[in-house]
Amino acid sequence: RAMFEDDLSDALLELTPKERLAFMLVFVEGYTRTDIAKRKMIGDISRNTVSRYLDKACEHLQELLGDWR
């Protein structure tokens, strides 16, 4: 488990700052995409843009952590 956490931490650092922030706000902090957009947590962006950052983050993490399935 500790090895996975290390690999996840490394993989998160490979994301762009906005992808990483979107991922952390949704999956760690529990915010919705709408909340993130309305509160301008990543800047003045739409819910769709938040979703795009999140989709890209998940895509990249899947590529980087594919061996952990």
Side-chain angles (χ1 to χ4, degrees), residues 1-57:
R1 178 169 162 110
M3 219 162 89
F4 176 76
E5 290 173 0
D6 289 344
D7 287 350
L8 177 59
S9 292
D10 291 343
L12 287 169
L13 292 174
E14 295 291 321
L15 302 177
T16 68
K18 290 180 179 181
E19 290 170 355
R20 184 171 45 254
L21 184 54
F23 182 87
M24 299 299 284
L25 288 170
V26 171
F27 292 110
V28 176
E29 300 295 329
Y31 289 101
T32 66
R33 292 165 178 86
T34 302
D35 285 338
I36 294 166
K38 280 184 180 177
R39 295 178 187 196
K40 300 181 180 183
M41 297 174 149
I42 305 179
D44 192 11
I45 60 174
S46 70
R47 181 193 181 284
N48 288 339
T49 302
V50 174
S51 291
R52 194 168 60 245
Y53 288 143
L54 190 58
D55 290 346
K56 286 285 189 187

